[in-house]
Amino acid sequence: MKGWLSDPTVKDEALKALRVLALKVPVDVPDVAPGSLLTPLNFLPHRINNHRSEACAVADFNGDGKLDIAAGPFLYLAPDWKPIQIREVSTTVNDEGKGYADDFCNLVVDVNQDGRPDIIRPNAWFEAPKDLRKGAWIEHPITLGGKDGNKEIVTGKRFMAHNGGDPDEFGKQCIFYYRFTPGPNPVFRKHVISYDEGIGAGLNTVAVDMDGDGDLDLVTTGKWGGPILFENRMTEPVSAEARREGLRPLASAAAPAAQTFGDNLALASRVSRPTV
């Protein structure tokens, strides 16, 4: 067996056949990483830039039918991927990757309904110009108040982010949702899901109808100890006592699995899920 696998050509053909098989049934052949199994999918990496940033977004920004990339202060238009600076991002990140970049969770939305994709981040939104290669992107603060929105953004504060390396690591934990009304004068309206209850979010909050009643519930977890399911009661009042009971610590934590992966692991699924 080892003899014929020593031939690179034969080995490549054998692995190709196994990958085709693995698309339909599990193939328990060890892969390069400890504990990993042969993947049926191959990904060819393409480096777009060397800039150090913490958030990215993908959209057809210039309307040519090709998906482009925005990351940090730059926009990369397909297919040449040349960096175009579209904004300033406050950062202290050095060549070792140490430091802090004030830019997280970039969402692409046509905020002012002018037909061009804009970029939302937690404390501002950036208005796309007509000429993406030369025009200036205008930074707008997220304005609170106004009419009801037709989309929602869920965000929150992480507890001990980067092991306490971020500002206000011991600040009050919270989860908010923003009702969003697009238009020439877009409006964001801030609402509390949880505030100063020891529950935070920030990286992986999932919106899905957990109880099948037609509305979106929320699931989150973090270093503070979870997960927590927020059942959407719509306009039905929830008393302070009911909230305290729902958040009451369990008598004993469930036994962990043999291997754990932290608080930011999401399972990709082909099941269609509503998003906010």
Side-chain angles (χ1 to χ4, degrees), residues 197 231-244 246:
E197 294 179 308
E231 179 188 353
N232 188 345
R233 293 292 186 88
M234 299 298 288
T235 58
E236 179 184 343
V238 177
S239 68
E241 181 181 356
R243 292 188 68 87
R244 286 193 297 269

Side-chain angles (χ1 to χ4, degrees), residues 90-146:
S90 176
T91 179
T92 60
V93 179
N94 61 22
D95 290 340
E96 296 179 347
K98 297 179 179 179
Y100 181 85
D102 188 15
D103 187 44
F104 301 97
C105 191
N106 285 189
L107 303 177
V108 178
V109 179
D110 183 4
V111 176
N112 55 357
Q113 292 188 319
D114 62 358
R116 296 187 294 272
D118 308 301
I119 298 175
I120 299 174
R121 75 179 186 197
N123 59 350
W125 69 277
F126 295 85
E127 180 182 351
K130 291 183 179 179
D131 187 342
L132 294 179
R133 293 189 180 272
K134 297 181 180 179
W137 289 61
I138 303 173
E139 181 176 352
H140 302 270
I142 291 181
T143 304
L144 305 181

Side-chain angles (χ1 to χ4, degrees), residues 10-21:
V10 174
K11 182 177 180 180
D12 287 346
E13 289 299 318
L15 287 174
K16 181 179 178 180
L18 285 173
R19 287 192 174 97
V20 172
L21 179 63

Side-chain angles (χ1 to χ4, degrees), residues 48-228:
I48 304 299
N49 201 351
N50 293 310
H51 185 80
R52 298 177 184 273
S53 59
E54 299 205 38
C56 64
V58 173
D60 181 6
F61 284 95
N62 58 356
D64 65 354
K66 299 180 178 68
L67 291 176
D68 312 301
I69 299 172
F74 299 110
L75 173 66
Y76 305 89
L77 297 177
D80 60 24
W81 307 117
K82 294 180 180 178
I84 303 167
Q85 185 162 352
I86 61 174
R87 55 183 175 170
E88 295 289 337
V89 173
S90 176
T91 179
T92 60
V93 179
N94 61 22
D95 290 340
E96 296 179 347
K98 297 179 179 179
Y100 181 85
D102 188 15
D103 187 44
F104 301 97
C105 191
N106 285 189
L107 303 177
V108 178
V109 179
D110 183 4
V111 176
N112 55 357
Q113 292 188 319
D114 62 358
R116 296 187 294 272
D118 308 301
I119 298 175
I120 299 174
R121 75 179 186 197
N123 59 350
W125 69 277
F126 295 85
E127 180 182 351
K130 291 183 179 179
D131 187 342
L132 294 179
R133 293 189 180 272
K134 297 181 180 179
W137 289 61
I138 303 173
E139 181 176 352
H140 302 270
I142 291 181
T143 304
L144 305 181
K147 299 180 180 179
D148 290 348
N150 57 6
K151 291 182 183 294
E152 287 77 40
I153 300 171
V154 179
T155 187
K157 177 173 173 50
R158 293 173 62 193
F159 171 64
M160 287 295 291
H162 300 108
N163 292 322
D166 286 0
D168 195 27
E169 65 270 28
F170 294 109
K172 293 180 179 179
Q173 296 181 65
C174 53
I175 304 175
F176 299 117
Y177 78 94
Y178 291 79
R179 299 168 74 182
F180 167 54
T181 304
N185 297 302
V187 171
F188 296 82
R189 197 166 189 180
K190 181 178 179 180
H191 300 278
V192 172
I193 296 171
S194 178
Y195 181 72
D196 198 17
E197 294 179 308
I199 307 299
L203 281 183
N204 188 29
T205 300
V206 181
V208 65
D209 185 0
M210 293 290 291
D211 50 9
D213 62 357
D215 54 40
L216 289 178
D217 309 298
L218 299 173
V219 179
T220 189
T221 191
K223 294 179 182 178
W224 38 265
I228 297 291

